[in-house]
C-alpha cells in the first residue's frame, strides 16, 4: 500500500468523524466510532468501518441515510477531483476479540 493512499485514508477517517460529530443533524450518529477506512487504489470507493454502542444496530441504517450529506461535506474538506463513494460497514472485530479473550480466560 502506498504512503499517499494510507495518508488519504487517515484524512478521510478524521474528517468523517468530525462531520459525524459536528455537522450531521441526527444526534444518534455522534456515538459512532470509525475504526478504519479502506480506499480503493483509484480512489473511487471508501469502505468506512464503524462500531457503535451495544443495541444500536439501527445506526448503520442511519449512516446509510446520511451518506449523501457526509460525502458532500467531505468534498468541501478534501481536495480530490472526485470524492469516493462511501460504504459503511459494521466492524465487529472488537466483539470477536472480546469473545476470544473470554474463551481463553475460561479455559485456564
Amino acid at each position: 500500500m502506498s504512503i499517499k493512499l494510507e495518508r488519504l485514508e487517515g484524512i478521510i477517517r478524521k474528517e468523517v468523524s468530525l462531520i459525524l460529530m459536528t455537522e450531521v443533524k441526527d444526534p444518534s450518529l455522534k456515538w459512532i466510532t470509525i475504526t478504519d477506512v479502506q480506499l480503493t487504489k483509484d480512489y473511487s470507493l471508501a469502505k468506512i468501518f464503524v462500531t457503535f454502542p451495544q443495541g444500536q444496530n439501527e445506526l448503520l441504517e442511519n449512516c446509510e441515510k446520511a451518506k449523501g450529506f457526509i460525502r458532500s461535506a467531505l468534498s468541501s474538506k478534501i481536495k480530490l477531483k472526485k470524492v469516493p463513494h462511501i460504504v459503511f460497514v459494521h466492524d465487529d472485530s472488537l466483539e470477536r476479540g472480546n469473545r476470544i479473550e473470554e474463551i481463553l480466560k475460561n479455559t485456564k
Side-chain angles (χ1 to χ4, degrees), residues 46-60:
K47 284 186 183 178
I48 300 177
F49 292 87
V50 295
T51 61
F52 29 80
Q54 294 286 26
Q56 300 290 325
N57 292 334
E58 70 276 356
L59 291 181
L60 193 58

Side-chain angles (χ1 to χ4, degrees), residues 6-105:
E6 286 180 21
R7 189 168 2 122
L8 190 55
E9 288 172 344
I11 290 169
I12 290 172
R13 182 174 56 237
K14 181 183 118 190
E15 293 299 335
V16 171
S17 294
L18 289 172
I19 291 167
L20 286 172
M21 289 175 54
T22 60
E23 297 181 34
V24 174
K25 294 190 191 260
D26 187 351
S28 64
L29 296 181
K30 295 181 187 323
W31 298 104
I32 290 179
T33 303
I34 297 177
T35 56
D36 194 19
V37 173
Q38 291 180 350
L39 193 61
T40 57
K41 291 183 181 191
D42 63 352
Y43 307 146
S44 64
L45 180 70
K47 284 186 183 178
I48 300 177
F49 292 87
V50 295
T51 61
F52 29 80
Q54 294 286 26
Q56 300 290 325
N57 292 334
E58 70 276 356
L59 291 181
L60 193 58
E61 294 172 16
N62 294 351
C63 285
E64 286 296 319
K65 290 177 186 173
K67 76 178 173 181
F69 173 79
I70 294 168
R71 186 171 181 236
S72 67
L74 186 62
S75 71
S76 68
K77 303 205 184 285
I78 60 174
K79 302 301 177 208
L80 288 175
K81 285 184 179 180
K82 192 172 184 183
V83 177
H85 291 280
I86 296 174
V87 175
F88 287 99
V89 180
H90 178 249
D91 185 4
D92 63 348
S93 61
L94 292 173
E95 289 123 15
R96 284 185 298 165
N98 289 339
R99 199 171 342 127
I100 290 170
E101 190 175 301
E102 190 66 33
I103 290 170
L104 291 174
K105 187 194 290 185

